[in-house]
Amino acid sequence: MGFFIVLEGLDGAGITTQARLLAEALRRRGEIVLLTKEPTEREVGQLIRRALRREVNITGLALQLLFMADRAQHLKEEILPFLARGTVVCDRYLYSTIAFGSLEADEAYLMRANEPFRRPDLAILLDAEPSACQERLRRAGRGLELFEDEGRARRVREAFLRLAARYGEMRVVDANPPIQEVASKVLEAALELWRRAGSEAGRRL
């Protein structure tokens, strides 16, 4: 059975880039890897994306419930079946629902609502300054989505750091340095899973 690895953080922190680089690095080491993301490309995920672009008016708790519905289908149809034969690297997961959702819904409720979902073996929080994330988004020519203004981003970052202190599977990686430097730290955090698994297997033998 493979490992389930999640990358989290603010928009503009480099999550999609680092998820791709991690998947590529693990494949070079001979691992079978599925690279996936949330929201998904399924029907519910597409509705979420329209809401984030402000094309439809779905905000607050209703939007976070849609994220959870998308996640339930994602787990059942894609993540859990693949873990039987390889490793899954996921661009965002339940921690984003809690951190971003805490802006408009009760954080404790969102944590309870997400308890039934399988927790990953490792969740890497790419922690970057909100101002730096905003600048990266501007350089990329992206229009700001629902949660991307700097004031809200600062509150989301605080929520992510609270989650990192609460959930033992979360590791914080500084996402402010250059891409390859961050990628090395992300890979090192991931490889610790394989080292730990090897050590535990040795003790059993």
Side-chain angles (χ1 to χ4, degrees):
M1 187 168 182
F3 292 111
F4 182 19
I5 303 172
V6 170
L7 281 83
E8 291 281 11
L10 296 176
D11 295 313
I15 302 167
T16 299
T17 297
Q18 293 300 332
R20 175 179 55 80
L21 291 174
L22 176 60
E24 291 171 354
L26 293 175
R27 287 169 183 148
R28 286 195 296 270
R29 291 172 177 268
E31 300 297 327
I32 301 171
V33 180
L34 169 68
L35 176 60
T36 187
K37 62 183 176 181
E38 292 191 356
T40 70
E41 298 296 339
R42 294 175 173 83
E43 291 85 352
V44 176
Q46 290 177 21
L47 179 58
I48 292 169
R49 293 177 189 281
R50 292 184 62 203
L52 293 175
R53 294 192 298 266
R54 298 184 175 91
E55 295 172 0
V56 293
N57 185 23
I58 304 173
T59 58
L61 181 58
L63 180 59
Q64 304 314 318
L65 293 173
L66 284 177
F67 273 106
M68 287 184 270
D70 188 45
R71 179 168 305 121
Q73 191 172 7
H74 192 200
L75 274 168
K76 181 178 180 180
E77 296 182 359
E78 190 170 7
I79 293 174
L80 294 178
F82 196 91
L83 284 172
R85 62 189 182 91
T87 288
V88 174
V89 174
C90 190
D91 175 344
R92 297 197 180 283
Y93 193 54
L94 62 86
Y95 313 94
S96 279
T97 296
I98 299 170
F100 285 92
S102 68
L103 293 176
E104 298 180 342
D106 181 69
E107 187 172 317
Y109 168 78
L110 291 172
M111 285 191 286
R112 291 194 303 272
N114 279 277
E115 282 178 0
F117 296 122
R118 187 210 195 276
R119 297 255 289 277
D121 300 290
L122 173 66
I124 299 173
L125 172 58
L126 297 174
D127 183 41
E129 286 292 334
S131 57
C133 292
Q134 295 283 297
E135 180 58 30
R136 290 176 185 175
L137 293 172
R138 280 192 288 269
R139 287 202 306 265
R142 276 185 48 185
L144 294 184
E145 293 186 345
L146 184 61
F147 295 107
E148 290 178 346
D149 71 79
E150 189 170 337
R152 289 161 72 86
R154 290 193 179 282
R155 292 165 58 196
V156 172
R157 183 194 184 198
E158 291 169 1
F160 269 127
L161 292 174
R162 287 194 298 271
L163 295 177
R166 179 183 179 91
Y167 292 111
E169 69 273 14
M170 293 192 79
R171 301 289 181 271
V172 180
V173 169
D174 182 2
N176 293 295
I179 290 173
Q180 290 303 324
E181 184 177 335
V182 176
S184 295
K185 293 178 181 178
V186 168
L187 178 60
E188 179 62 24
L191 291 179
E192 181 60 30
L193 292 173
W194 277 267
R195 284 194 289 270
R196 190 162 64 239
S199 175
E200 291 172 355
R203 286 199 295 270
R204 287 196 298 271
L205 294 172

